[in-house]
Amino acid sequence: MKIFDTLAREKITLGLPHDRMIKMYVCGPTVQDNFHIGHARTYVFFDSLAKYLRINGYRVFYLQNITDIDDKIIDRAKAENVDFQVISRRYTAEFYALMKALKIDSVNLYALATDHIMEIISQVKRLVEAGFAYETGDGVYFSVSRFPDYGKLWGQDPQTLLAGTSANLREDKRDPRDFVIWKKMKPGEPYWDSPWGKGRPGWHIEDTAITEAYFGPAYNIHGGGMDLIFPHHDAEIAISRSLSGLDRLSDYWIHTGMVNVNLEKMSKSLKNFVTIREVLASYGSEEIRYALLNANFSTAINYSESLLQESRAVVNQLSILYNKMRIKAGHYVRKPGTNETIERLNGIVGDNMDFRGLFRDVMNLLGTWNASLESMSEAELLEALSVLDWLDSFTGIIRHESASTDISGPVGLLLRIRSELRSRREFQLADTIRSSLLSMGIYIEDRGAETLWWIDTAGVDKK
RNA sequence: GGAUAGGUGGCAGAGCGGUCAUGCGUGGGACUGCAGAUCCCAUUUAAUAGGGUUCAACUCCCUACCUAUCCUCCA
């Protein structure tokens, strides 16, 4: 498969190892506040990428960090007059809950920064000993001039940066570009003991210590939002490669585009963010996932209500047909396997994770299947179902209703009564029953004398 | 100012040097007791502006303009 690599600046073939584990690392969030759908975009994408690689025979170890010690967490704790861990634990729990709600379940391990303080101190220590870092009055800094490739991922000459920032050279920083890897404690701040006194880690080194602990000096895929390229990922490269002496940290660098609102990046500071919670109140995970995946992963998405509305229309079409086919197939049990259609669609996704192209082709298939649903053979039906199951296994965009033809329950009773009414042409009462059931979240479709139905998990509370 | 990615129909957004993108929305029709679902047709003489190359450009080249992200908070 091919994918756009930030460092190479072009689509390159992923020469991933078939025989061993793919080590994939994605930068997680800072647990300081509520999460917005910009976060969701990145994590949904990498969830689908991991799942796609797995169904194509790769063994993926997906590692993600969580930054649970940070200036902003401390600020928030001060504002609420609580311990910083009250804040970090609250939002870590919220983050896990949101990931579950969005059906993001491919991460093998979430690594908390505060669980890896020893590893962080070890890295700082080794960097200082090797002359890559130095201590100042307020912390320990990485010396950018010792790493010639600094800024390479960002794609800009580091000298440009030097010129632009000469104004904010701090008294004891040797170079304005140098970044902090250990911060000395100020009164009232949380701390850990270290060879440089009480303090806490800088941001960049949290990730490098975690990846080194689990993956060693190099790994295969590093992902994150586009806004992390510089300085964060360039700093990670500088730290890790200075320690390892290798000429690379990750084989591939994959960055997801931003989610914009009114053509501006969604962010805390602009106060234009829409939280995942808010969106989940009105839309299902399938609809959110479709909206976020239905774009080139590296371009910006402009968030709007109509984006979700369009997403809803597509998810409904897919889910309704899927459920009709499942009912028609009887005791259908999902089986892994492949066929020509899956192979073809798999090829589309394999070219730069083109979910958009995938969805386009699936929508075409949907038209064909809908038109021929009544005349489909058993084999054709099972093949169509396997395609949709395959699609759903890594995109998560189909609502699996509790499809039922069981007419023994109370719903069944009402439907039997309604059926009798309809045969007597007493439509007024029959329609009253139908609209009641619809408002209770039961999907109903009259097909001649028969009635197709299932419990619609989209729910009645959603818009 | 620098780096990167773009500027396509009501909206979202592909591909391609010459032939229908697709989806949503909208309008019409078919089916139905009516809904819904589904199908069919239409919305198609769309390409930021100005040059250039070419038999032919939305597609290649140049220039201008515009937008987004980053340039030590950020997914």
Side-chain angles (χ1 to χ4, degrees):
Chain A
M1 70 175 279
K2 288 185 292 185
I3 197 150
F4 187 88
D5 177 75
T6 308
L7 188 57
R9 271 160 242 294
E10 62 180 343
K11 276 197 292 191
I12 56 174
T13 301
L14 254 80
L16 292 170
H18 268 285
D19 54 335
R20 61 184 170 91
M21 196 86 88
I22 289 178
K23 298 167 183 169
M24 178 165 115
Y25 182 74
V26 174
C27 280
T30 300
V31 281
Q32 51 156 16
D33 200 349
N34 286 309
F35 305 94
H36 56 69
I37 49 170
H39 296 107
R41 200 244 174 125
T42 296
Y43 304 127
V44 164
F45 174 77
F46 285 104
D47 177 62
S48 287
L49 174 62
K51 287 170 176 169
Y52 174 76
L53 290 170
R54 283 175 187 152
I55 62 174
N56 277 280
Y58 296 103
R59 294 193 305 144
V60 179
F61 190 98
Y62 180 178
L63 174 67
Q64 188 173 122
N65 75 305
I66 287 177
T67 300
D68 61 344
I69 177 67
D70 172 86
D71 289 1
K72 290 196 171 174
I73 296 172
I74 295 168
D75 291 346
R76 182 75 184 255
K78 277 180 191 158
E80 292 192 23
N81 198 26
V82 292
D83 189 82
F84 86 97
Q85 287 192 325
V86 172
I87 303 297
S88 63
R89 283 179 183 159
R90 178 199 302 160
Y91 291 109
T92 302
E94 169 70 355
F95 182 70
Y96 291 149
L98 291 170
M99 293 302 103
K100 194 178 174 192
L102 290 171
K103 295 198 290 194
I104 293 168
D105 52 10
S106 59
V107 179
N108 295 88
L109 179 70
Y110 287 104
L112 301 181
T114 55
D115 285 340
H116 298 81
I117 299 295
M118 286 304 113
E119 289 85 348
I120 291 165
I121 290 173
S122 159
Q123 283 203 337
V124 177
K125 208 168 153 186
R126 281 178 283 147
L127 287 169
V128 171
E129 281 165 6
F132 290 109
Y134 57 91
E135 186 179 353
T136 71
D138 67 346
V140 179
Y141 289 82
F142 183 90
S143 186
V144 167
S145 60
R146 290 291 314 274
F147 188 76
D149 280 352
Y150 187 67
K152 216 171 174 180
L153 185 69
W154 180 34
Q156 184 144 288
D157 184 352
Q159 291 305 317
T160 315
L161 178 59
L162 188 60
T165 54
S166 54
N168 66 9
L169 177 60
R170 300 177 55 151
E171 63 290 337
D172 48 0
K173 243 166 100 172
R174 293 179 192 167
D175 184 315
R177 300 169 299 174
D178 290 351
F179 53 85
V180 68
I181 53 180
W182 187 263
K183 292 181 181 179
K184 293 188 178 175
M185 185 192 84
K186 294 192 196 90
E189 288 181 348
Y191 67 90
W192 287 265
D193 288 315
S194 80
W196 314 278
K198 293 172 176 177
R200 63 192 145 90
W203 179 33
H204 313 309
I205 204 159
E206 294 176 8
D207 296 66
T208 57
I210 287 167
T211 56
E212 189 187 50
Y214 297 98
F215 289 164
Y219 43 95
N220 306 109
I221 296 174
H222 190 126
M226 207 74 103
D227 53 352
L228 298 185
I229 295 172
F230 192 89
H232 190 48
H233 289 167
D234 258 313
E236 284 186 47
I237 291 171
I239 293 170
S240 295
R241 286 180 48 201
S242 294
L243 288 168
S244 71
L246 299 174
D247 60 3
R248 63 177 175 78
L249 170 61
S250 172
D251 296 330
Y252 306 99
W253 289 89
I254 301 171
H255 291 100
T256 47
M258 297 293 98
V259 175
N260 295 344
V261 174
N262 295 325
L263 302 178
E264 261 188 325
K265 177 181 166 183
M266 188 178 287
S267 72
K268 301 271 163 65
S269 47
L270 288 169
K271 294 185 163 52
N272 62 350
F273 61 93
V274 181
T275 66
I276 301 173
R277 271 277 166 235
E278 287 172 64
V279 183
L280 276 168
S282 305
Y283 294 94
S285 62
E286 301 83 2
E287 291 155 342
I288 297 171
R289 291 184 68 110
Y290 179 88
L292 297 174
L293 290 174
N294 188 30
N296 182 320
F297 72 84
S298 54
T299 60
I301 293 175
N302 199 36
Y303 176 84
S304 66
E305 187 68 19
S306 62
L307 178 76
L308 270 310
Q309 282 296 330
E310 181 178 334
S311 195
R312 163 156 297 174
V314 172
V315 168
N316 278 342
Q317 285 180 50
L318 274 168
S319 305
I320 288 168
L321 178 64
Y322 180 81
N323 285 302
K324 282 184 190 174
M325 292 206 285
R326 241 179 42 169
I327 290 170
K328 194 172 154 67
H331 295 288
Y332 168 74
V333 181
R334 198 195 148 204
K335 277 180 290 201
T338 189
N339 57 51
E340 276 182 34
T341 309
I342 291 177
E343 290 300 320
R344 183 171 59 77
L345 297 175
N346 200 52
I348 293 173
V349 184
D351 185 0
N352 207 32
M353 297 307 286
D354 184 9
F355 289 118
R356 198 164 233 304
L358 168 72
F359 297 155
R360 177 197 61 211
D361 269 38
V362 168
M363 292 314 282
N364 283 337
L365 283 170
L366 220 60
T368 313
W369 289 333
N370 266 318
S372 62
L373 188 61
E374 294 308 309
S375 59
M376 266 184 170
S377 72
E378 176 85 2
E380 287 168 330
L381 189 65
L382 291 179
E383 180 174 322
L385 274 168
S386 73
V387 171
L388 289 177
D389 274 322
W390 168 83
L391 170 76
D392 189 52
S393 69
F394 63 99
T395 59
I397 58 170
I398 297 176
R399 244 188 346 261
H400 293 248
E401 317 294 12
S402 35
S404 177
T405 46
D406 179 21
I407 53 161
S408 59
V411 175
L413 176 65
L414 280 168
L415 285 166
R416 271 181 292 157
I417 292 168
R418 181 166 170 273
S419 184
E420 180 63 25
L421 289 167
R422 286 180 68 222
S423 70
R424 293 184 195 172
R425 307 192 66 78
E426 293 180 30
F427 295 119
Q428 198 177 354
L429 187 52
D431 289 352
T432 304
I433 293 172
R434 182 173 61 194
S435 60
S436 298
L437 289 172
L438 284 172
S439 68
M440 286 160 60
I442 311 286
Y443 177 89
I444 292 177
E445 186 176 321
D446 289 327
R447 306 179 62 79
E450 283 184 43
T451 297
L452 205 58
W453 70 280
W454 58 75
I455 296 159
D456 188 353
T457 54
V460 285
D461 294 330
K462 309 237 165 129
K463 279 185 244 176

